[in-house]
Amino acid sequence: MGGPELVSWLVVGVCGGTGCYCLGRLRRLPPGGRQGRALEGAMGLAMALMAAGMAGGPAAPAGVLVAVSATTVLGAALPLGLRARHRAHHAVEGAGMLYMALAMGGAAGAHAAHGGPSGAAPAGVPVLSGALLVYCALYALRTAPRLVPAGTAQRGAGDVGLGAGEDEVAVACRLALTLGMVAMVLVM
């Protein structure tokens, strides 16, 4: 096992663990704070299923991945307890997952119809994949410094740290899922 297969299995572990953790914390949150964590949990588990299929493991049906991705996009549109920027991030990542599920499903079907292996050629539109990579990379670069404690020398003078009501675990979950998305797009 090496290369993309190993990366895919690492994404399965990180995203699956993050999804389970987010869903496990739901009952300890007030009702207004559950939407974001539920979206992150569903996204993490869907990403783990998608990455398992990319690694050669049991693949989830494309319809399930499309349904979860579409639900994430629609769920992010509801203004229940999430700031607009947080909702926009979930909508972009959900749309990215929807794009990957459709691209991988189409590539697998096309290669299977020609008798070739499902991973023989990259899937997706390079411009969309590139845009998703740029968004996720910029989000990670913007978010990661927020996890550095306020008193350390690495923080810049303009950094504001965590927003009101945000905890480090929620920010770390979003960062882990974003980095998982980067890995999946690169392996796709």
Side-chain angles (χ1 to χ4, degrees), residues 34-82:
R34 293 181 183 165
Q35 179 190 11
R37 202 57 57 91
L39 289 172
E40 289 160 4
M43 189 178 308
L45 293 177
M47 287 173 69
L49 288 171
M50 191 180 298
M54 293 170 76
V64 170
L65 296 176
V66 168
V68 171
S69 301
T71 302
T72 303
V73 172
L74 294 175
L78 300 173
L80 303 174
L82 293 178

Side-chain angles (χ1 to χ4, degrees), residues 6 9 13 23 32 63 91 141 150 168:
L6 177 63
W9 282 116
L23 292 176
L141 289 172
E168 292 87 358

Side-chain angles (χ1 to χ4, degrees), residues 4-21 23 39-61 64-65 68-69 72 93 97 100-101 104 176-185 187:
E5 186 177 324
L6 177 63
V7 171
S8 294
W9 282 116
L10 290 172
V11 171
V12 169
V14 169
C15 291
T18 301
C20 289
Y21 183 79
L23 292 176
L39 289 172
E40 289 160 4
M43 189 178 308
L45 293 177
M47 287 173 69
L49 288 171
M50 191 180 298
M54 293 170 76
V64 170
L65 296 176
V68 171
S69 301
T72 303
E93 280 202 333
M97 284 187 53
M100 286 191 298
M104 290 181 349
L177 293 176
T178 300
L179 293 175
M181 179 89 54
V182 167
M184 288 175 57
V185 171
V187 170

Side-chain angles (χ1 to χ4, degrees), residues 91-129:
V92 169
E93 280 202 333
M97 284 187 53
L98 183 61
Y99 159 70
M100 286 191 298
L102 292 172
M104 290 181 349
H111 292 297
H114 291 88
S118 63
V125 179
V127 172
L128 292 177
S129 297

Side-chain angles (χ1 to χ4, degrees), residues 133-177:
L133 279 174
V134 167
Y135 171 79
C136 289
L138 290 175
Y139 183 85
L141 289 172
R142 187 183 137 272
T143 303
R146 296 168 57 199
L147 294 173
V148 177
T152 62
Q154 288 95 352
R155 292 194 60 114
D159 290 343
V160 294
L162 298 173
E166 281 189 305
D167 64 350
E168 292 87 358
V169 175
V171 174
C173 285
R174 283 194 297 275
L175 182 59
L177 293 176

